[in-house]
Amino acid sequence: MSAETIKATPHDGAACTRCHKADTTHHIRSDKVCQSCFVQYVTTKAIKRMETYRIRGSSYNIPRKLLLPVSFGPSSASLLHILDQHIQGQYNRMNRASYELHVVHINVYVDPVDRKDADELLAKYKSRFPKHTYSIVNLGEALHLDGIDWKALDMEQPTEADRNTDRLLKLLASMSSATSRSDIASTLLARLLVDVANRNGCTGILFGDSTTRLAERTLTETAKGRGFSLPWQVSDGASPYGVDFHYPLRDVLKKEITSFSSLATPAIDGLILLREGSSLVSASSKLTTIDDLMVQYFESVEENYPSIVANVVRTSSKLQSLPNQDTQGCGLCGLPVAKDTDGIHGWGGDQNSDSRSAMEDSHHGILCYGCSRSINS
Amino acid sequence: MARTLCATCKTARALIIRPKNHQKLCKACFIAVFEAEIHHTITTTSLFSPGDRIAIGASGGKDSTVLASVLKTLNERYNYGLNLILLSIDEGIKGYRDDSLETVKRNAVQYDMPLKIVGYDELYGWTMDQVVEVIGKKGNCTYCGVFRRQALDRGAKMLGIKHVVTGHNADDVAETILMNLLRGDLPRLARSTSIVTGDSTSDVRRSKPLKYAYEKEIVLYAHHKKLDYFTTECLYSPEAFRGSARSLIKNLERVRPSAILDVVRSGEDMAKLVPEEVTGISQCKSQKVSLSSADGEEEGSGGCGNTNGRDSGGEMADMEKKLQLDEEASSREVDVTSLASTADGQNHDRIASKSVGRKRDTSRKLVKQTLGTCKRCGYMSSQDICKACTLLEGLNKNRPKMEIVIDVEDEESSTLRRRMEGVTLAAG
Ligand SMILES: [Zn+2]
Ligand SMILES: [Zn+2]
Ligand SMILES: [Zn+2]
Ligand SMILES: [Zn+2]
């Protein structure tokens, strides 16, 4: 994919359409530009976004603290690289920065070998970007979060004696499809990140999602019956969890960020695992997930119609959560569920109790439609 | 080999795996649950009242044939008290409708329902063959599309019927939802999710009782009930966005059978989250883009048979080009405005920062969309003369095709687009 954008044009010899000095090596949409103008373009897109955020808790003297989760993929590594430079630039000019970063990696693998690899890789991040604080958290810790309704999940309340990992595996194993497993794992991951943010005094989370990723998410969540949650999944700003969600790379395409990650100086390639972190626990499964489908789909759309990708995100970002509603938190994802809209039954598309299996009827407690679908399939 | 028993009655042998949830059912239980679910849809949405005269838009295809069969069954079983009539449209293309209209005629006998076939000539004074004679093969799809969208409503009105039901199924609705996300068209997305369009004030309401029924189950039902329907390869190639959404839906269904229903549910939920001001913005910003190409077609409804040989990527490429021009224009504007607001010492909030460029040019053009009726034909329309009547005026003057797809960005063309938007809203 990066080959497309890095398409070197040595015989072309045309000068960069932006600086008119260097030879062109990259594309910004239809413009041919040089490497340094390309790097500048991506950096500026991210910084400009950052500057539009009115980050809560910020005041003149006390820099606000933000959580930056790294998946070891190119997007989050690039974002850290850009923001590290941004912060350094602020120090150089004003001897202070307007924000600080806490970098976290959520360990989604249960194998001890994988965990050791993760520890080692995060140590590399630390030595490459030493200004920030770091932590590593296992996904299994999500099971001890307050507000998970075990009864709604048809599982017993976890005890201290339970090994988190076993429990996580048990929960995921109870689901019959790869899509459901990946859905629940990413749901738990999101809640865990909020918890990590709170524990570390962060007022917001900076996600590394590119335009393309946000477009994928728009359609993925729609396909999983989570359309109601889109205002909190693709828009910058307040989340129902009390911390703000920000997407500074929302104006950068996936192929652009991939190219960018290979150009950073000093290099950051060593910080990036080729496998994107998005496939999570289901990475071992041969089964395709809805997430996989959308990744493939938008890869091809991005190739020919990058502005359509951006327009999908612009469109879904216009959706607004309903104010002043009678809501209850979902027992799994924690998002507000409007009264009488919980579960996969009892709505227009499923009024008929005869078609339910006995297992599906046994649940009590509040689950949103999307969580309920994954738990029941 | 062990016999698998039906999950519902637990006595008969399971012969059918329900596409919707993979339940194993016997034939009788499948037919019962399929009908029961449509009965639920009808009762929980209070779709009909006793004494209603309902026109079933009948094409002879599987969807409308199943709809007619199920409605007849339920009407008798639950005493809906409905007066059901089959309503078919004849575009007047020699040979094209012959087989499907024969099917509908047989259905009328089989279901003991009155049948009314209305021709484009009756409705518009022109058959499609005559239109082609005047404007040539190229571009006649525009006419056929505009005419077809109004044909059922106009036909119903001729018969004094206030409610038309169509065979749109869950796959169609899900496809439309994804398509409108891809086209960036929230207002149309919102409209497409409701089971009924139009209200007591409209001349003719439209509804889709099969909204939650899977296409695969419709085929199964038709098969097991041995219904007489007309199978045909649709000659009409869907426009690029719809085609793209359609293959996505098929893939999603393969990965997770509930996905079609889940998309419909998401669409219903998202419809509530579309803010009013977005309807305005979208009308001026994204919709004008989609309008020129998609022509406001709401649901995949068969074609006119005159395949247009359109390059199926055309609409996406057109939209891509327009969006890129928009982006260039607005990035220039943002540069200016963000400078200004920083000088103010104002922090932009997230909405402002996102739409600085947009707001500037839409505030001027934003026009409240009000639904009225066409002065000429009385069909729902947001301006004086509806799109069909505008086309007819051109035809009747024997002029070649009116300029309806205009790419030049001027005030006049966007006004025209808004007019067209009004029409398509009415058609929804
Ligand atoms: Zn340059
Ligand atoms: Zn939930
Ligand atoms: Zn049975
Ligand atoms: Zn009219």
Side-chain angles (χ1 to χ4, degrees):
Chain A
M1 50 195 135
S2 56
E4 207 277 328
T5 25
I6 307 179
K7 209 189 296 163
T9 49
H11 307 296
D12 189 319
C16 168
T17 52
R18 303 220 165 177
C19 67
H20 305 291
K21 289 177 200 147
D23 282 352
T24 58
T25 51
H26 288 75
H27 280 92
I28 299 175
R29 307 296 154 95
S30 53
D31 290 350
K32 289 177 175 173
V33 297
C34 71
Q35 179 168 318
S36 91
C37 285
F38 177 76
V39 168
Q40 186 60 37
Y41 166 83
V42 173
T43 309
T44 308
K45 283 275 178 189
I47 299 301
K48 264 192 170 172
R49 266 296 159 191
M50 283 299 292
E51 284 169 352
T52 64
Y53 303 149
R54 189 194 292 152
I55 293 162
R56 280 185 301 141
S58 94
S59 75
Y60 223 77
N61 297 314
I62 309 152
R64 63 256 186 179
K65 209 167 164 191
L66 300 172
L67 186 73
L68 199 168
V70 290
S71 65
F72 301 152
S75 296
S76 50
S78 298
L79 181 59
L80 176 56
H81 169 74
I82 291 169
L83 298 183
D84 184 73
Q85 286 185 332
H86 186 225
I87 289 172
Q88 188 58 51
Q90 290 188 338
Y91 267 115
N92 295 347
R93 277 183 287 120
M94 316 177 284
N95 209 27
R96 63 178 178 84
S98 54
Y99 61 96
E100 293 174 350
L101 297 178
H102 179 80
V103 181
V104 67
H105 174 74
I106 305 291
N107 211 338
V108 295
Y109 299 101
V110 288
D111 191 322
V113 179
D114 288 330
R115 290 191 172 177
K116 194 168 149 279
D117 289 350
D119 286 338
E120 284 168 4
L121 194 49
L122 195 69
K124 282 193 198 167
Y125 274 77
K126 219 183 283 186
S127 62
R128 172 74 172 73
F129 306 107
K131 280 191 288 289
H132 322 291
T133 53
Y134 288 81
S135 60
I136 195 158
V137 178
N138 290 328
L139 184 57
E141 285 189 33
L143 300 184
H144 285 298
L145 295 176
D146 289 340
I148 298 218
D149 184 348
W150 293 103
K151 216 171 69 201
L153 301 180
D154 213 14
M155 288 178 80
E156 288 148 39
Q157 188 76 30
T159 62
E160 283 303 316
D162 274 348
R163 282 194 56 226
N164 288 332
T165 311
D166 296 343
R167 204 171 169 79
L168 178 63
L169 287 176
K170 194 178 154 203
L171 174 65
L172 295 174
S174 73
M175 282 158 236
S176 61
S177 82
T179 293
S180 300
R181 278 192 293 276
S182 137
D183 178 59
I184 295 304
S186 50
T187 297
L188 290 173
L189 190 140
R191 284 199 86 166
L192 187 55
L193 284 176
V194 169
D195 186 60
V196 173
N198 285 329
R199 276 190 277 151
N200 290 279
C202 300
T203 57
I205 304 179
L206 300 166
F207 293 99
D209 302 65
S210 60
T211 311
T212 317
R213 186 80 190 86
L214 291 174
E216 285 165 17
R217 178 158 322 138
T218 297
L219 265 73
T220 303
E221 299 305 300
T222 302
K224 293 199 283 197
R226 294 186 184 275
F228 81 99
S229 74
L230 280 174
W232 306 300
Q233 303 244 34
V234 291
S235 301
D236 281 311
S239 77
Y241 303 110
V243 291
D244 293 346
F245 286 179
H246 296 298
Y247 304 90
L249 296 180
R250 66 180 311 124
D251 301 314
V252 184
L253 295 169
K254 195 189 261 180
K255 62 181 177 188
E256 290 170 341
I257 205 69
T258 309
S259 297
F260 178 89
S261 67
S262 66
L263 300 172
T265 41
I268 55 170
D269 330 45
L271 303 178
I272 296 166
L273 290 183
L274 283 179
R275 182 174 48 191
E276 267 281 49
S278 62
S279 43
L280 292 165
V281 184
S282 69
S284 61
S285 168
K286 282 178 203 118
L287 294 165
T288 314
T289 63
I290 287 178
D291 310 61
D292 299 335
L293 272 185
M294 293 303 178
V295 171
Q296 285 164 22
Y297 179 74
F298 276 103
E299 204 168 86
S300 67
V301 179
E302 187 196 59
E303 193 65 41
N304 299 304
Y305 312 110
S307 299
I308 287 178
V309 177
N311 196 46
V312 168
V313 180
R314 222 166 15 240
T315 303
S316 57
S317 301
K318 285 179 196 154
L319 296 171
Q320 284 176 5
S321 56
L322 294 170
N324 320 318
Q325 257 205 328
D326 191 359
T327 61
Q328 275 178 289
C330 168
L332 187 53
C333 70
L335 290 173
V337 182
K339 200 168 179 294
D340 296 329
T341 65
D342 62 303
I344 47 174
H345 300 302
W347 66 292
D350 184 292
Q351 297 286 339
N352 185 12
S353 56
D354 293 344
S355 68
R356 295 175 207 178
S357 67
M359 192 265 280
E360 290 171 34
D361 245 354
S362 69
H363 286 300
H364 304 287
I366 300 290
L367 286 180
C368 73
Y369 183 90
C371 289
S372 180
R373 176 64 76 202
S374 282
I375 292 296
N376 288 305
S377 64
Chain B
M1 206 175 75
R3 274 164 55 115
T4 310
L5 289 182
C6 168
T8 303
C9 66
K10 302 196 168 64
T11 48
R13 183 170 173 185
L15 285 172
I16 294 167
I17 296 178
R18 260 201 99 174
K20 211 176 206 169
N21 58 11
H22 285 194
Q23 247 187 341
K24 296 182 181 72
L25 299 178
C26 71
K27 190 178 134 183
C29 287
F30 169 74
I31 285 169
V33 77
F34 183 87
E35 288 167 355
E37 287 184 0
I38 293 162
H39 173 61
H40 273 286
T41 304
I42 289 168
T43 50
T44 53
T45 55
S46 312
L47 213 48
F48 308 125
S49 314
D52 278 358
R53 291 177 74 210
I54 308 291
I56 301 168
S59 67
K62 60 173 171 27
D63 298 308
S64 58
T65 303
V66 165
L67 178 62
S69 167
V70 171
L71 282 185
K72 180 188 167 63
T73 305
L74 296 177
N75 192 31
E76 287 165 5
R77 185 180 301 157
Y78 299 104
N79 296 313
Y80 288 169
L82 302 179
N83 233 314
L84 299 169
I85 294 139
L86 295 170
L87 174 61
S88 291
I89 303 300
D90 186 352
E91 293 89 345
I93 304 167
K94 223 175 176 54
Y96 173 60
R97 278 289 180 212
D98 294 358
D99 292 339
S100 57
L101 287 178
E102 282 313 310
T103 312
V104 179
K105 283 177 194 163
R106 287 197 303 276
N107 290 159
V109 177
Q110 291 151 0
Y111 305 148
D112 190 23
M113 278 183 206
L115 163 67
K116 173 73 185 168
I117 300 174
V118 279
Y120 274 16
D121 51 347
E122 271 176 276
L123 295 172
Y124 303 108
W126 291 78
T127 67
M128 273 314 291
D129 283 341
Q130 288 168 335
V131 171
V132 172
E133 257 172 57
V134 173
I135 60 142
K137 284 250 178 212
K138 233 182 152 196
N140 67 70
C141 274
T142 308
Y143 288 78
C144 196
V146 170
F147 288 168
R148 190 183 321 107
R149 225 162 295 131
Q150 287 193 9
L152 282 176
D153 299 39
R154 287 187 180 215
K157 217 177 152 185
M158 270 175 50
L159 301 175
I161 292 176
K162 294 189 155 182
H163 192 155
V164 178
V165 291
T166 58
H168 292 112
N169 57 40
D171 300 51
D172 295 329
V173 175
E175 182 183 298
T176 304
I177 290 164
L178 292 193
M179 177 182 76
N180 283 316
L181 277 175
L182 293 171
R183 290 204 308 214
D185 196 334
L186 287 181
R188 206 169 278 147
L189 183 152
R191 285 201 295 278
S192 69
T193 58
S194 55
I195 190 160
V196 190
T197 44
D199 53 34
S200 51
T201 65
S202 1
D203 282 339
V204 179
R205 298 200 302 157
R206 285 242 211 161
S207 67
K208 29 190 189 239
L210 302 184
K211 180 189 172 189
Y212 298 112
Y214 275 36
E215 188 171 272
K216 283 183 176 171
E217 301 202 355
I218 288 170
V219 174
L220 274 177
Y221 184 85
H223 172 76
H224 288 288
K225 290 275 283 187
K226 300 195 167 59
L227 299 185
D228 179 11
Y229 67 95
F230 179 64
T231 9
T232 177
E233 276 297 306
C234 184
L235 294 170
Y236 176 81
S237 63
E239 61 103 354
F241 281 107
R242 182 171 291 284
S244 197
R246 185 168 298 173
S247 57
L248 208 45
I249 287 290
K250 297 280 173 242
N251 286 330
L252 286 171
E253 187 187 16
R254 224 165 284 144
V255 170
R256 198 190 228 189
S258 68
I260 292 175
L261 206 53
D262 297 343
V263 170
V264 175
R265 168 60 183 250
S266 283
E268 289 180 6
D269 288 343
M270 283 151 72
K272 298 175 208 150
L273 309 178
V274 180
E276 249 171 80
E277 65 267 25
V278 164
T279 318
I281 288 171
S282 191
Q283 184 193 338
C284 297
K285 266 321 248 195
S286 8
Q287 250 168 255
K288 71 178 180 193
V289 175
S290 57
L291 263 181
S292 58
S293 54
D295 210 9
E297 192 189 334
E298 294 283 352
E299 257 110 24
S301 49
C304 56
N306 296 335
T307 40
N308 41 20
R310 196 164 48 185
D311 164 22
S312 70
E315 285 78 12
M316 285 177 104
D318 289 352
M319 181 164 175
E320 175 68 21
K321 206 187 282 169
K322 289 197 170 107
L323 286 169
Q324 277 186 16
L325 290 173
D326 273 4
E327 272 167 46
E328 273 169 41
S330 78
S331 72
R332 265 169 228 133
E333 285 183 66
V334 170
D335 285 344
V336 178
T337 47
S338 64
L339 254 172
S341 65
T342 319
D344 270 338
Q346 263 189 329
N347 252 321
H348 351 212
D349 62 39
R350 63 192 176 107
I351 291 170
S353 70
K354 237 182 270 171
S355 52
V356 216
R358 224 167 302 147
K359 265 188 187 160
R360 284 161 52 98
D361 65 341
T362 49
S363 51
R364 240 181 323 130
K365 294 183 194 165
L366 203 123
V367 174
K368 260 266 182 280
Q369 210 174 47
T370 44
L371 266 183
T373 46
C374 171
K375 287 218 172 95
R376 220 159 278 172
C377 68
Y379 184 80
M380 282 185 294
S381 167
S382 66
Q383 62 287 300
D384 288 354
I385 309 294
C386 79
K387 194 172 168 186
C389 289
T390 312
L391 287 176
L392 281 173
E393 194 184 330
L395 276 176
N396 292 337
K397 284 183 189 158
N398 210 358
R399 259 200 333 227
K401 180 187 168 198
M402 298 258 307
E403 282 298 321
I404 34 164
V405 180
I406 303 168
D407 288 328
V408 194
E409 279 296 333
D410 57 29
E411 196 59 40
E412 211 194 329
S413 70
S414 57
T415 311
L416 186 53
R417 284 196 185 106
R418 266 202 306 281
R419 282 196 199 145
M420 291 159 56
E421 169 51 18
V423 176
T424 49
L425 178 93

